[in-house]
C-alpha cells in the first residue's frame, strides 16, 4: 500500500524533472542549441514539455530527436505514443506519413487514430482497407489494426461503426488474448444504453477470465452503471476474493454496499481495510458518513476523529463531529469542537461560525 508524504510535496516538486530535461531546458533558455541526447531521454523531455502544455518546445524536441536518431524505430514508436496520449492528432498524422515506409503495424494504427480524430473518416476507412490487406496473414497484427480502428471510432462516438468493425474480425480470431476488442464493443453498447448486449458481452468476458480480479473489478463498475446493483456487488466481492484490493477496489465495494443499503457490510469492509491503514482519510470519512446515516453517533465519532488526525484543517469534519456530539447529548463538547474548528480552519463557508453562534444562543449556560 503506497504511503504519501504530503509534507515533502514541495521538495518533490523541485526534483520532479530529470537531469536530461533540466539540462535541455537550461540550454534552450540560454539560447544554446542542445547537443546529443539518447532516445529515452528525448522521449522523456518530449513528455515533460507536453505535461507543461508547451507544445511548441515539444515539436522542437521531436525535430531534433528525428534528426539525430532518424532510424531508431523504437524511439519513433514512443514519440507516436506520446503524441497519441496527449491527443496531438495533426503532429501524429504528420509523423505517421513521414514514416509510412516502416513495416510495423503500429504506424498504420496510429495513422488510423489520427485520421478519425481529425474528422477524416473517408481517408481513415481507405487506410483501414489498405492495412487489412497488408497484415492479412498475421492475425496478431490484424487484431491490432481492428482494435485501433474500433477504439478510435468509439472515441469519436461512432458506436455502431465500431461494433461492425469488431464483428468483422471476431470470426477470424480467438477470444482469448483479444479481450480488448470485446471491452471496446461492451463500451459501445454501454454508451448506446443497450443493456442486453452489455450483459451478454460481460458474461462472455467472465467466461474467458473467471479467475481474473481485474476483469471482475472492471465489470463491477459496468454492472453498477446499468443499474445491476446485486451483480455489481457480486463482481466487486469476487475481485476482492481474488486479491484485487487496491484502495480504489475497496472503495468501490464499500460504496456498492452503502448504495444498496448494506450498511453493516460496508462498515465491516471499512474496518477490515482500516486495520492495515488506520489513517486512510477517505475510508474514515466514508465510514463516518455511513454511521451518520445509521444514526450510530458514537461509532461515527471514532471515524471522524481519526480523519481529523489526517486533516485537522477540514471544515466539515468539525461540523460532523459537533453534530454527533449533540446527538449524544454532549453539548459542551459540541461547542468546544466548533471553537477548535474556528482555530484550525479558515471556515471558508462561515458554517462553523454560524453553527457555533446558534449553539451558544440555544445553550447560553455553556
Amino acid at each position: 500500500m503506497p504511503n504519501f508524504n504530503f509534507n515533502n510535496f514541495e521538495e518533490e516538486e523541485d526534483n520532479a524533472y530529470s537531469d536530461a530535461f533540466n539540462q535541455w531546458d537550461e540550454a534552450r533558455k540560454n539560447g544554446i542549441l542542445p547537443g546529443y541526447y539518447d532516445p529515452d531521454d528525448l522521449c522523456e523531455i518530449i513528455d515533460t514539455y507536453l505535461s507543461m502544455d508547451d507544445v511548441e518546445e515539444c515539436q522542437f524536441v521531436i525535430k531534433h530527436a528525428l534528426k539525430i536518431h532518424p532510424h531508431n524505430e523504437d524511439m519513433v514508436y514512443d514519440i507516436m505514443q506520446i503524441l497519441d496520449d496527449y491527443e496531438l492528432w495533426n503532429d501524429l498524422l504528420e509523423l505517421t506519413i513521414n514514416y509510412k515506409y516502416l513495416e510495423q503495424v503500429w504506424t498504420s494504427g496510429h495513422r488510423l487514430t489520427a485520421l478519425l480524430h481529425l474528422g477524416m473518416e473517408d481517408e481513415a476507412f481507405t487506410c483501414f482497407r489498405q492495412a487489412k490487406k497488408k497484415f492479412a496473414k498475421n492475425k496478431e497484427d490484424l487484431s491490432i489494426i481492428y482494435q485501433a480502428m474500433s477504439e478510435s471510432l468509439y472515441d469519436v462516438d461512432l458506436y455502431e461503426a465500431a461494433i461492425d468493425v469488431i464483428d468483422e474480425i471476431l470470426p477470424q480470431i480467438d477470444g482469448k488474448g483479444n479481450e480488448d476488442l470485446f471491452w471496446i464493443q461492451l463500451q459501445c453498447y454501454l454508451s448506446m444504453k443497450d443493456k442486453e448486449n452489455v450483459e451478454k458481452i460481460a458474461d462472455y468476458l467472465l467466461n474467458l477470465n473467471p479467475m481474473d480480479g481485474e476483469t471482475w473489478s472492471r465489470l463491477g463498475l459496468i454492472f453498477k452503471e446499468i443499474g445491476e446493483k446485486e451483480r455489481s456487488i457480486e463482481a466487486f466481492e469476487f475481485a476482492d476474493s481474488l486479491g484485487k484490493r487496491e484502495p480504489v477496489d475497496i472503495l468501490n465495494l464499500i460504496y456498492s454496499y452503502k448504495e444498496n443499503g448494506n450498511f453493516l457490510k460496508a462498515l465491516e469492509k471499512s474496518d477490515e481495510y482500516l486495520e492495515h491503514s488506520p489513517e486512510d482519510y477517505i475510508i474514515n470519512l466514508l465510514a463516518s458518513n455511513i454511521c451518520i446515516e445509521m444514526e450510530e453517533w458514537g461509532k461515527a465519532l471514532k471515524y471522524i476523529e481519526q480523519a481529523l488526525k489526517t486533516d485537522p484543517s477540514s471544515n466539515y469534519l468539525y461540523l460532523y463531529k459537533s453534530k454527533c456530539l449533540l446527538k449524544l447529548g454532549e453539548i459542551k463538547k459540541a461547542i468546544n469542537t466548533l471553537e477548535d474548528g474556528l482555530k484550525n480552519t479558515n471556515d471558508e463557508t462561515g458554517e462553523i461560525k454560524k453553527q457555533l453562534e446558534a449553539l451558544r444562543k440555544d445553550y447560553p449556560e455553556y
Side-chain angles (χ1 to χ4, degrees):
M1 202 68 62
N3 292 316
F4 300 102
N5 187 345
F6 293 103
N7 293 327
N8 293 331
F9 180 77
E10 291 184 4
E11 180 182 343
E12 292 172 5
E13 184 82 355
D14 292 337
N15 299 320
Y17 304 128
S18 69
D19 291 340
F21 174 81
N22 290 329
Q23 183 181 350
W24 175 285
D25 196 54
E26 186 66 24
R28 290 285 288 161
K29 287 176 179 176
N30 291 325
I32 302 171
L33 184 65
Y36 178 87
Y37 287 79
D38 68 38
D40 289 341
D41 283 339
L42 287 164
C43 288
E44 188 275 333
I45 293 168
I46 292 166
D47 192 281
T48 303
Y49 276 120
L50 286 178
S51 72
M52 299 163 63
D53 293 324
D54 193 338
V55 176
E56 185 177 347
E57 187 62 27
C58 158
Q59 291 168 334
F60 181 86
V61 182
I62 291 174
K63 288 179 181 178
H64 186 76
L66 298 177
K67 182 179 179 180
I68 62 176
H69 300 291
H71 304 300
N72 190 309
E73 295 182 12
D74 289 340
M75 184 192 72
V76 173
Y77 168 75
D78 288 340
I79 293 174
M80 286 184 183
Q81 188 59 56
I82 293 169
L83 293 173
D84 190 307
D85 291 341
Y86 285 93
E87 301 183 357
L88 294 179
W89 308 122
N90 282 305
D91 296 273
L92 179 58
L93 180 59
E94 181 182 353
L95 191 56
T96 63
I97 291 173
N98 291 340
Y99 281 85
K100 62 183 178 182
Y101 63 85
L102 295 179
E103 295 297 319
Q104 283 82 352
V105 65
W106 42 263
T107 308
S108 298
H110 280 302
R111 188 178 304 127
L112 285 171
T113 301
L115 287 169
L116 279 169
H117 283 88
L118 290 169
M120 302 168 69
E121 294 173 20
D122 290 341
E123 293 87 344
F125 276 98
T126 297
C127 178
F128 183 48
R129 286 192 293 271
Q130 293 170 345
K132 286 194 294 182
K133 291 180 182 179
K134 182 176 181 180
F135 301 104
K137 295 181 180 179
N138 187 319
K139 286 188 177 181
E140 184 177 345
D141 285 351
L142 192 62
S143 177
I144 291 172
I145 286 297
Y146 273 87
Q147 182 180 332
M149 186 65 175
S150 58
E151 192 167 16
S152 299
L153 287 167
Y154 167 76
D155 286 344
V156 297
D157 300 337
L158 296 174
Y159 306 127
E160 292 184 0
I163 291 168
D164 290 342
V165 164
I166 295 172
D167 281 340
E168 183 179 289
I169 187 64
L170 290 182
Q172 305 177 52
I173 60 173
D174 297 325
K176 196 71 175 176
N178 291 285
E179 290 93 336
D180 285 341
L181 289 168
F182 294 97
W183 281 108
I184 296 167
Q185 209 168 48
L186 184 150
Q187 291 291 341
C188 289
Y189 282 123
L190 185 64
S191 297
M192 296 165 65
K193 303 188 185 304
D194 186 339
K195 182 178 177 181
E196 182 180 348
N197 275 308
V198 167
E199 292 192 275
K200 179 180 176 181
I201 297 175
D203 289 336
Y204 179 77
L205 286 165
L206 288 175
N207 285 330
L208 282 179
N209 296 295
M211 302 303 291
D212 181 59
E214 179 64 29
T215 297
W216 282 104
S217 181
R218 290 177 69 181
L219 287 176
L221 294 172
I222 298 296
F223 291 138
K224 180 180 177 181
E225 192 161 342
I226 63 174
E228 289 290 330
K229 292 183 179 180
E230 292 295 337
R231 289 203 74 181
S232 177
I233 289 174
E234 180 186 60
F236 288 134
E237 286 177 336
F238 266 108
D240 183 65
S241 68
L242 291 168
K244 190 74 172 62
R245 293 171 186 156
E246 297 299 317
V248 66
D249 300 303
I250 302 298
L251 275 175
N252 284 333
L253 185 52
I254 295 172
Y255 270 120
S256 294
Y257 283 142
K258 178 179 180 291
E259 290 173 6
N260 209 34
N262 297 335
F263 295 133
L264 291 178
K265 282 191 174 182
L267 283 178
E268 181 183 335
K269 183 55 63 175
S270 299
D271 288 336
E272 181 183 319
Y273 183 83
L274 290 170
E275 284 181 13
H276 305 287
S277 302
E279 296 182 358
D280 190 290
Y281 178 78
I282 298 298
I283 300 295
N284 275 299
L285 185 60
L286 181 55
S288 70
N289 281 324
I290 293 169
C291 289
I292 288 172
E293 286 194 45
M294 296 171 65
E295 298 187 355
E296 292 280 358
W297 311 112
K299 288 184 179 179
L301 269 178
K302 178 186 72 172
Y303 298 112
I304 293 169
E305 287 171 352
Q306 189 62 53
L308 274 169
K309 290 180 183 178
T310 305
D311 185 9
S313 63
S314 178
N315 297 32
Y316 53 85
L317 287 178
Y318 292 97
L319 293 167
Y320 285 172
K321 183 177 178 180
S322 177
K323 177 180 179 179
C324 291
L325 289 166
L326 279 176
K327 293 291 185 179
L328 292 169
E330 299 281 0
I331 311 300
K332 181 60 177 176
K333 288 182 179 179
I335 291 173
N336 290 342
T337 294
L338 294 175
E339 290 173 341
D340 289 340
L342 283 180
K343 294 176 185 176
N344 298 330
T345 77
N346 294 324
D347 191 25
E348 293 93 345
T349 64
E351 191 63 25
I352 294 178
K353 182 179 180 181
K354 177 181 175 183
Q355 291 296 325
L356 180 58
E357 289 174 350
L359 284 183
R360 284 173 172 166
K361 181 179 179 181
D362 291 340
Y363 303 99
E365 65 273 25
Y366 292 99

